[in-house]
mmCIF file of all heavy atoms in Angstrom:
data_model
loop_
_atom_site.group_PDB
_atom_site.id
_atom_site.type_symbol
_atom_site.label_atom_id
_atom_site.label_comp_id
_atom_site.label_asym_id
_atom_site.label_seq_id
_atom_site.Cartn_x
_atom_site.Cartn_y
_atom_site.Cartn_z
ATOM 1 N N SER A 26 11.266 14.247 -25.621
ATOM 2 C CA SER A 26 12.358 14.258 -26.598
ATOM 3 C C SER A 26 11.977 13.694 -27.967
ATOM 4 O O SER A 26 12.824 13.643 -28.854
ATOM 5 C CB SER A 26 13.565 13.488 -26.039
ATOM 6 O OG SER A 26 14.100 14.162 -24.920
ATOM 7 N N THR A 27 10.718 13.285 -28.157
ATOM 8 C CA THR A 27 10.362 12.737 -29.484
ATOM 9 C C THR A 27 10.432 13.822 -30.561
ATOM 10 O O THR A 27 10.771 13.533 -31.708
ATOM 11 C CB THR A 27 8.962 12.089 -29.501
ATOM 12 O OG1 THR A 27 8.022 13.040 -29.012
ATOM 13 C CG2 THR A 27 8.903 10.834 -28.667
ATOM 14 N N GLU A 28 10.143 15.073 -30.184
ATOM 15 C CA GLU A 28 10.251 16.158 -31.177
ATOM 16 C C GLU A 28 11.713 16.545 -31.426
ATOM 17 O O GLU A 28 11.999 17.403 -32.253
ATOM 18 C CB GLU A 28 9.405 17.357 -30.741
ATOM 19 C CG GLU A 28 7.920 17.094 -30.943
ATOM 20 C CD GLU A 28 7.049 18.002 -30.102
ATOM 21 O OE1 GLU A 28 6.712 19.090 -30.572
ATOM 22 O OE2 GLU A 28 6.718 17.615 -28.958
ATOM 23 N N SER A 29 12.622 15.911 -30.709
ATOM 24 C CA SER A 29 14.056 16.038 -31.001
ATOM 25 C C SER A 29 14.543 14.784 -31.738
ATOM 26 O O SER A 29 15.745 14.495 -31.762
ATOM 27 C CB SER A 29 14.846 16.203 -29.697
ATOM 28 O OG SER A 29 14.504 17.398 -29.049
ATOM 29 N N ASP A 30 13.577 14.020 -32.253
ATOM 30 C CA ASP A 30 13.871 12.806 -33.042
ATOM 31 C C ASP A 30 14.461 11.648 -32.243
ATOM 32 O O ASP A 30 15.204 10.828 -32.787
ATOM 33 C CB ASP A 30 14.773 13.124 -34.244
ATOM 34 C CG ASP A 30 14.097 14.068 -35.209
ATOM 35 O OD1 ASP A 30 12.858 13.995 -35.317
ATOM 36 O OD2 ASP A 30 14.785 14.885 -35.841
ATOM 37 N N ILE A 31 14.151 11.581 -30.954
ATOM 38 C CA ILE A 31 14.515 10.394 -30.173
ATOM 39 C C ILE A 31 13.202 9.647 -29.909
ATOM 40 O O ILE A 31 12.331 10.172 -29.213
ATOM 41 C CB ILE A 31 15.174 10.773 -28.825
ATOM 42 C CG1 ILE A 31 16.417 11.630 -29.057
ATOM 43 C CG2 ILE A 31 15.517 9.516 -28.041
ATOM 44 C CD1 ILE A 31 17.014 12.208 -27.769
ATOM 45 N N PRO A 32 13.038 8.456 -30.479
ATOM 46 C CA PRO A 32 11.771 7.745 -30.265
ATOM 47 C C PRO A 32 11.543 7.407 -28.786
ATOM 48 O O PRO A 32 12.507 7.178 -28.051
ATOM 49 C CB PRO A 32 11.933 6.452 -31.075
ATOM 50 C CG PRO A 32 13.151 6.615 -31.910
ATOM 51 C CD PRO A 32 13.992 7.679 -31.280
ATOM 52 N N ARG A 74 20.759 3.437 -29.678
ATOM 53 C CA ARG A 74 19.938 4.462 -29.009
ATOM 54 C C ARG A 74 20.803 5.644 -28.575
ATOM 55 O O ARG A 74 20.416 6.792 -28.710
ATOM 56 C CB ARG A 74 19.266 3.872 -27.753
ATOM 57 C CG ARG A 74 18.449 2.643 -27.991
ATOM 58 C CD ARG A 74 17.057 2.930 -28.417
ATOM 59 N NE ARG A 74 16.363 3.865 -27.570
ATOM 60 C CZ ARG A 74 15.238 4.484 -27.909
ATOM 61 N NH1 ARG A 74 14.701 4.269 -29.076
ATOM 62 N NH2 ARG A 74 14.646 5.316 -27.076
ATOM 63 N N GLU A 75 21.980 5.340 -28.064
ATOM 64 C CA GLU A 75 22.884 6.382 -27.585
ATOM 65 C C GLU A 75 23.292 7.303 -28.745
ATOM 66 O O GLU A 75 23.327 8.525 -28.605
ATOM 67 C CB GLU A 75 24.137 5.729 -26.975
ATOM 68 C CG GLU A 75 25.070 6.712 -26.314
ATOM 69 C CD GLU A 75 26.495 6.165 -26.178
ATOM 70 O OE1 GLU A 75 26.860 5.212 -26.891
ATOM 71 O OE2 GLU A 75 27.245 6.728 -25.356
ATOM 72 N N GLY A 76 23.568 6.691 -29.917
ATOM 73 C CA GLY A 76 23.969 7.467 -31.095
ATOM 74 C C GLY A 76 22.898 8.478 -31.477
ATOM 75 O O GLY A 76 23.193 9.636 -31.765
ATOM 76 N N MET A 77 21.618 8.033 -31.422
ATOM 77 C CA MET A 77 20.499 8.931 -31.745
ATOM 78 C C MET A 77 20.451 10.092 -30.756
ATOM 79 O O MET A 77 20.225 11.230 -31.119
ATOM 80 C CB MET A 77 19.189 8.154 -31.589
ATOM 81 C CG MET A 77 18.619 7.611 -32.855
ATOM 82 S SD MET A 77 16.989 6.988 -32.459
ATOM 83 C CE MET A 77 17.318 5.263 -32.411
ATOM 84 N N MET A 78 20.682 9.770 -29.482
ATOM 85 C CA MET A 78 20.611 10.805 -28.441
ATOM 86 C C MET A 78 21.748 11.806 -28.587
ATOM 87 O O MET A 78 21.577 13.000 -28.366
ATOM 88 C CB MET A 78 20.652 10.162 -27.053
ATOM 89 C CG MET A 78 19.398 9.364 -26.752
ATOM 90 S SD MET A 78 19.428 8.651 -25.107
ATOM 91 C CE MET A 78 17.986 7.594 -25.180
ATOM 92 N N LEU A 79 22.930 11.317 -28.976
ATOM 93 C CA LEU A 79 24.081 12.216 -29.093
ATOM 94 C C LEU A 79 23.932 13.178 -30.273
ATOM 95 O O LEU A 79 24.518 14.254 -30.276
ATOM 96 C CB LEU A 79 25.381 11.412 -29.217
ATOM 97 C CG LEU A 79 25.804 10.684 -27.943
ATOM 98 C CD1 LEU A 79 27.027 9.820 -28.197
ATOM 99 C CD2 LEU A 79 26.088 11.675 -26.813
ATOM 100 N N GLU A 80 23.136 12.796 -31.264
ATOM 101 C CA GLU A 80 22.939 13.678 -32.424
ATOM 102 C C GLU A 80 21.797 14.663 -32.199
ATOM 103 O O GLU A 80 21.624 15.593 -32.975
ATOM 104 C CB GLU A 80 22.615 12.841 -33.664
ATOM 105 C CG GLU A 80 23.854 12.235 -34.279
ATOM 106 C CD GLU A 80 23.529 11.237 -35.381
ATOM 107 O OE1 GLU A 80 22.405 11.266 -35.912
ATOM 108 O OE2 GLU A 80 24.425 10.433 -35.672
ATOM 109 N N ALA A 81 20.987 14.443 -31.148
ATOM 110 C CA ALA A 81 19.765 15.231 -30.965
ATOM 111 C C ALA A 81 20.043 16.630 -30.411
ATOM 112 O O ALA A 81 21.028 16.864 -29.721
ATOM 113 C CB ALA A 81 18.826 14.486 -30.020
ATOM 114 N N GLU A 82 19.122 17.531 -30.741
ATOM 115 C CA GLU A 82 19.173 18.911 -30.233
ATOM 116 C C GLU A 82 17.925 19.136 -29.379
ATOM 117 O O GLU A 82 16.862 18.585 -29.684
ATOM 118 C CB GLU A 82 19.089 19.904 -31.403
ATOM 119 C CG GLU A 82 20.205 19.794 -32.421
ATOM 120 C CD GLU A 82 21.441 20.549 -31.983
ATOM 121 O OE1 GLU A 82 21.323 21.375 -31.061
ATOM 122 O OE2 GLU A 82 22.519 20.272 -32.548
ATOM 123 N N PRO A 83 18.019 20.006 -28.367
ATOM 124 C CA PRO A 83 16.825 20.300 -27.562
ATOM 125 C C PRO A 83 15.706 20.890 -28.434
ATOM 126 O O PRO A 83 15.996 21.545 -29.432
ATOM 127 C CB PRO A 83 17.317 21.363 -26.567
ATOM 128 C CG PRO A 83 18.801 21.298 -26.591
ATOM 129 C CD PRO A 83 19.207 20.749 -27.914
ATOM 130 N N ASN A 84 14.458 20.644 -28.054
ATOM 131 C CA ASN A 84 13.321 21.242 -28.774
ATOM 132 C C ASN A 84 12.709 22.356 -27.914
ATOM 133 O O ASN A 84 13.247 22.721 -26.869
ATOM 134 C CB ASN A 84 12.312 20.158 -29.177
ATOM 135 C CG ASN A 84 11.698 19.466 -27.977
ATOM 136 O OD1 ASN A 84 11.198 20.118 -27.059
ATOM 137 N ND2 ASN A 84 11.749 18.135 -27.966
ATOM 138 N N HIS A 87 12.214 21.778 -24.121
ATOM 139 C CA HIS A 87 13.447 21.897 -23.318
ATOM 140 C C HIS A 87 13.828 23.372 -23.131
ATOM 141 O O HIS A 87 14.163 23.794 -22.026
ATOM 142 C CB HIS A 87 14.621 21.191 -24.011
ATOM 143 C CG HIS A 87 14.447 19.717 -24.223
ATOM 144 N ND1 HIS A 87 14.148 19.179 -25.446
ATOM 145 C CD2 HIS A 87 14.544 18.664 -23.374
ATOM 146 C CE1 HIS A 87 14.070 17.859 -25.343
ATOM 147 N NE2 HIS A 87 14.299 17.518 -24.099
ATOM 148 N N ASP A 108 18.921 11.424 -21.880
ATOM 149 C CA ASP A 108 19.590 12.018 -23.042
ATOM 150 C C ASP A 108 20.357 13.306 -22.772
ATOM 151 O O ASP A 108 21.103 13.785 -23.639
ATOM 152 C CB ASP A 108 18.573 12.233 -24.176
ATOM 153 C CG ASP A 108 17.349 13.044 -23.749
ATOM 154 O OD1 ASP A 108 17.489 13.960 -22.931
ATOM 155 O OD2 ASP A 108 16.237 12.751 -24.243
ATOM 156 N N GLY A 109 20.159 13.936 -21.626
ATOM 157 C CA GLY A 109 20.907 15.161 -21.295
ATOM 158 C C GLY A 109 20.435 16.409 -22.026
ATOM 159 O O GLY A 109 21.095 17.456 -21.970
ATOM 160 N N LEU A 110 19.266 16.351 -22.705
ATOM 161 C CA LEU A 110 18.840 17.502 -23.512
ATOM 162 C C LEU A 110 18.376 18.695 -22.668
ATOM 163 O O LEU A 110 18.478 19.833 -23.107
ATOM 164 C CB LEU A 110 17.746 17.096 -24.508
ATOM 165 C CG LEU A 110 18.201 16.190 -25.650
ATOM 166 C CD1 LEU A 110 17.047 15.921 -26.617
ATOM 167 C CD2 LEU A 110 19.368 16.802 -26.418
ATOM 168 N N MET A 113 21.467 20.566 -21.975
ATOM 169 C CA MET A 113 21.949 21.192 -23.207
ATOM 170 C C MET A 113 21.154 22.470 -23.512
ATOM 171 O O MET A 113 21.671 23.434 -24.060
ATOM 172 C CB MET A 113 21.840 20.214 -24.387
ATOM 173 C CG MET A 113 22.738 20.577 -25.543
ATOM 174 S SD MET A 113 22.348 19.645 -27.023
ATOM 175 C CE MET A 113 23.375 18.247 -26.801
ATOM 176 N N ALA A 114 19.866 22.463 -23.127
ATOM 177 C CA ALA A 114 19.014 23.634 -23.357
ATOM 178 C C ALA A 114 19.278 24.737 -22.331
ATOM 179 O O ALA A 114 18.788 25.853 -22.492
ATOM 180 C CB ALA A 114 17.545 23.228 -23.303
ATOM 181 N N ILE A 126 23.241 9.033 -20.190
ATOM 182 C CA ILE A 126 24.218 8.401 -21.098
ATOM 183 C C ILE A 126 25.578 9.088 -21.006
ATOM 184 O O ILE A 126 26.567 8.555 -21.481
ATOM 185 C CB ILE A 126 23.747 8.430 -22.578
ATOM 186 C CG1 ILE A 126 23.516 9.885 -23.039
ATOM 187 C CG2 ILE A 126 22.507 7.580 -22.789
ATOM 188 C CD1 ILE A 126 23.479 10.045 -24.559
ATOM 189 N N HIS A 127 25.596 10.295 -20.421
ATOM 190 C CA HIS A 127 26.842 11.065 -20.380
ATOM 191 C C HIS A 127 27.780 10.648 -19.251
ATOM 192 O O HIS A 127 28.874 11.184 -19.129
ATOM 193 C CB HIS A 127 26.528 12.564 -20.294
ATOM 194 C CG HIS A 127 25.819 13.045 -21.537
ATOM 195 N ND1 HIS A 127 26.464 13.210 -22.732
ATOM 196 C CD2 HIS A 127 24.509 13.317 -21.772
ATOM 197 C CE1 HIS A 127 25.598 13.602 -23.650
ATOM 198 N NE2 HIS A 127 24.400 13.668 -23.093
#
Side-chain angles (χ1 to χ4, degrees):
S26 294
T27 54
E28 286 160 89
S29 296
D30 297 328
I31 302 172
R74 305 275 309 165
E75 186 201 19
M77 262 189 257
M78 292 182 189
L79 290 175
E80 280 171 19
E82 300 277 344
N84 63 51
H87 299 104
D108 54 35
L110 290 183
M113 201 192 271
I126 59 162
H127 296 286

